[in-house]
Amino acid sequence: MDANEILDYCLAKKAVTESFPFDQETLVMKVATKMFLLMSLEKQPLTIAVKTDPEWSQELREKHPQITGAFHMNKTHWNSVMIDGLKRDLILKMIDHSYDLVFKSLTKKVKEEIGNSNN
């Protein structure tokens, strides 16, 4: 997968926006106002950071050397994922999982607003 595929996949989800709040190379994807994915556009190989359930994080890190605790993030809940060598299905599953975790943490009002939106 490349950066454009990941971007398109994320933007197809409800209430997702993209921004560069930290610098001009770190793309941040948010659902409503909360981050669920960060992607360095300059770093090679392509690396993303996604939120992950702590138990699954541990399992992923044990099975895949490309997955480690995310730099500058809470390493219990965020993984840094080097895309090279990982199956597309696993990458998409981690993105979906991150989005779902963050979506669940939104207020009931925000979830309802998203549910009623056309996006």
Side-chain angles (χ1 to χ4, degrees):
M1 289 191 81
D2 66 22
N4 288 327
E5 289 176 283
I6 292 170
L7 177 62
D8 290 345
Y9 187 78
C10 291
L11 288 174
K13 296 180 172 297
K14 280 189 171 254
V16 170
T17 58
E18 60 180 303
S19 64
F20 291 89
F22 305 117
D23 55 40
Q24 292 304 309
E25 79 170 57
T26 306
L27 178 63
V28 175
M29 306 302 294
K30 294 180 180 179
V31 54
T33 60
K34 295 189 175 193
M35 296 187 305
F36 73 94
L37 182 139
L38 293 89
M39 178 169 44
S40 174
L41 299 178
E42 300 296 321
K43 186 176 179 183
Q44 291 299 323
L46 179 61
T47 301
I48 62 173
V50 289
K51 193 165 189 173
T52 315
D53 175 80
E55 291 175 12
W56 195 36
S57 286
Q58 184 176 354
E59 181 183 325
L60 288 167
R61 292 174 193 175
E62 289 172 2
K63 288 183 178 179
H64 306 281
Q66 303 95 321
I67 301 174
T68 59
F71 190 63
H72 289 308
M73 304 294 278
N74 180 326
K75 289 165 181 48
T76 302
H77 298 280
W78 285 86
N79 280 322
S80 179
V81 180
M82 192 179 348
I83 300 300
D84 284 358
L86 292 177
K87 292 184 178 180
R88 177 184 176 87
D89 289 348
L90 177 60
I91 296 164
L92 297 179
K93 184 176 179 180
M94 286 187 285
I95 293 170
D96 290 343
H97 181 75
S98 184
Y99 176 90
D100 292 344
L101 280 176
V102 173
F103 186 88
K104 287 177 190 174
S105 74
L106 299 173
T107 65
K108 181 179 179 180
K109 180 181 178 189
V110 172
K111 288 180 199 173
E112 288 173 355
E113 289 170 0
I114 291 170
N116 293 328
S117 73
N118 291 331
N119 184 4

